[in-house]
Amino acid sequence: MAMQASNDTSAAGLRLSLSRRIFAVEGMAILAVFALLIAIFMVTAPQTFLGYRIYMTFLANVPPPMILALGLTFVVVAGEMDLSFPSIVAFSSYVFAILFKNYELTWLAFAAALAVGVVLGFINGVIVTQLGIPSMITTLATLFLYGGLVTIVSNGLTVAVPSITDTAIHSVFAGRIGVLPVQALWALAVAVFLWFILNRHRFGENVLFIGDNARVAHVVGIRVDREKLKIFTLMGLLSAFAGILLTLETTTYFSSQGMGYLLIVVASVFIGGTSIFGGAGTIVGTVVGALIVAIIEAGLVASGVQGFWTRFLIGVVFLVSVTLNMALEDPDRVPLFKKIRMRLRR
């Protein structure tokens, strides 16, 4: 009997160890949530989710918010926040659209729009590092500042550029390979590149170190202010790129462009498992988090559920994902889990 009990305990321990190893793989926990949602929607809306069209629609619409979320991941990992990206999206989109419409520029318009994003992101970084204003306050202010400025410059008018579909730049960034949207490949390329930067490059190391403890990072020789400038500049660049992709896909600029992304991008980052405390983040998790946020709305509508349930369910997934990631990282950081473990030990 004693040997049987010992074998059972050993088997249970092995299973527990195996499950921990599986969920320790980057993004595995949130990927399980995504797979579960897909399975649920396949059952509740089989006509939609058992076909390929819905997934091609996702791949056409998800890249801009996904790219924004990837950039924001770096900012949050460093222990900072950027709320200005919707206005940078709008500003860059306007520059790109107006240069094409008035001067028929394509690649130069592309470069100019990226340059605008870089400058605006750099300004954010300068304010945070040189004026010492917290990034949350800084970027909330520049959200209004940049957004107001582009509205003034554009007079709040929409700029339609339908003829851009006939250009090479549209084919390169928003065309189709068969039924596959090209912008999905660009989003994947950005994700892979940023994964290597965060996990295999000194800059990524520095970002993680700064987010974990900025004072210690400074003591060991990391130029914290310079690295933060890079982070906000990178966020500006990726915001501009997302704005260009959005303009190419919709062939239109409008003054509120990008504003609808604010909450869903922030949700994607934290649902994906990036630590709200800084110092830890996952690119894979952010990619899956962006897919989850996108699929919930479409899945609910296709399942016949009224649209106002969307935010409710995103909130539920948000809380569950953050709690799960915190529990996997350190169960004692979740007070309820800590209490349960202490009682079980008694």
Side-chain angles (χ1 to χ4, degrees), residues 1 20 30 33-34 43 45 99 101 167 195 210 228 233 235 249 254 258 270 285 287 299 303 305 313 320 333 344:
M1 290 293 290
R20 282 181 177 175
I30 192 62
V33 175
F34 178 64
V43 173
L99 287 178
K101 184 172 184 178
T167 63
W195 185 91
I210 291 169
K228 287 186 178 181
T233 303
M235 185 65 200
E249 179 65 24
F254 46 92
F270 291 119
V287 170
S303 301
V305 179
L313 188 54
V320 171
R333 290 177 71 175
L344 290 174

Side-chain angles (χ1 to χ4, degrees), residues 4-336:
Q4 179 70 30
S6 176
N7 289 337
D8 290 344
T9 303
S10 181
L14 184 61
R15 287 194 296 270
L16 181 60
S17 177
L18 181 60
S19 64
R20 282 181 177 175
R21 287 182 182 179
I22 291 173
F23 281 101
V25 176
E26 182 179 352
M28 185 58 68
I30 192 62
L31 192 59
V33 175
F34 178 64
L36 178 61
L37 285 172
I38 291 286
I40 291 172
F41 290 139
M42 282 182 173
V43 173
T44 58
Q47 292 183 341
T48 301
F49 280 86
L50 291 179
Y52 74 92
R53 295 183 184 278
I54 185 69
Y55 301 105
M56 293 305 103
T57 301
F58 286 150
L59 294 179
N61 296 327
V62 169
M66 182 183 290
I67 290 170
L68 291 169
L70 290 167
L72 189 61
T73 299
F74 272 74
V75 177
V76 174
V77 166
E80 303 290 346
M81 177 52 72
D82 190 340
L83 300 177
S84 69
F85 60 83
S87 292
I88 299 179
V89 167
F91 213 127
S92 301
S93 298
Y94 173 73
V95 169
F96 180 75
I98 203 69
L99 287 178
F100 176 78
K101 184 172 184 178
N102 291 348
Y103 304 102
E104 296 185 355
L105 299 176
T106 54
W107 295 104
L108 284 177
F110 177 81
L114 290 181
V116 166
V118 167
V119 170
L120 297 182
F122 182 78
I123 291 172
N124 285 342
V126 168
I127 295 173
V128 171
T129 59
Q130 302 306 310
L131 298 184
I133 302 174
S135 58
M136 178 80 77
I137 304 301
T138 294
T139 55
L140 182 61
T142 54
L143 169 69
F144 291 103
L145 177 64
Y146 300 156
L149 185 58
V150 71
T151 302
I152 292 169
V153 172
S154 66
N155 291 318
L157 300 176
T158 297
V159 180
V161 286
S163 60
I164 204 167
T165 56
D166 298 326
T167 63
I169 196 169
H170 184 273
S171 299
V172 170
F173 290 105
R176 299 292 187 270
I177 300 176
V179 296
L180 178 67
V182 174
Q183 54 266 49
L185 299 180
W186 283 104
L188 178 62
V190 170
V192 171
F193 176 72
L194 292 180
W195 185 91
F196 277 102
I197 293 296
L198 185 62
N199 296 283
R200 297 289 186 270
H201 194 272
R202 180 176 294 178
F203 175 57
E205 253 180 50
N206 292 345
V207 171
L208 290 164
F209 208 150
I210 291 169
D212 189 48
N213 194 317
R215 290 184 179 180
V216 175
H218 179 73
V219 169
V220 300
I222 295 175
R223 299 177 64 178
V224 175
D225 287 350
R226 185 186 67 177
E227 300 302 279
K228 287 186 178 181
L229 272 175
K230 291 180 183 178
I231 293 164
F232 283 103
T233 303
L234 174 65
M235 185 65 200
L237 175 65
L238 293 176
S239 298
F241 185 48
I244 294 168
L245 290 184
L246 183 60
T247 303
L248 287 169
E249 179 65 24
T250 62
T251 66
T252 306
Y253 156 79
F254 46 92
S255 60
S256 61
Q257 195 158 323
M259 288 305 298
Y261 289 150
L262 181 57
L263 294 180
I264 63 175
V265 167
V266 173
S268 298
V269 173
F270 291 119
I271 286 174
T274 295
S275 174
I276 59 178
F277 305 104
T282 160
I283 296 297
V284 175
T286 295
V287 170
V288 180
L291 292 173
I292 285 176
V293 172
I295 206 171
I296 286 175
E297 183 173 5
L300 289 177
V301 172
S303 301
V305 179
Q306 293 181 340
F308 56 76
W309 280 92
T310 303
R311 288 192 175 183
F312 171 81
L313 188 54
I314 289 176
V316 171
V317 174
F318 198 149
L319 288 173
V320 171
S321 300
V322 171
T323 303
L324 181 60
N325 281 299
M326 287 177 63
L328 290 172
E329 184 180 338
D330 182 3
D332 288 340
R333 290 177 71 175
V334 183
L336 178 61

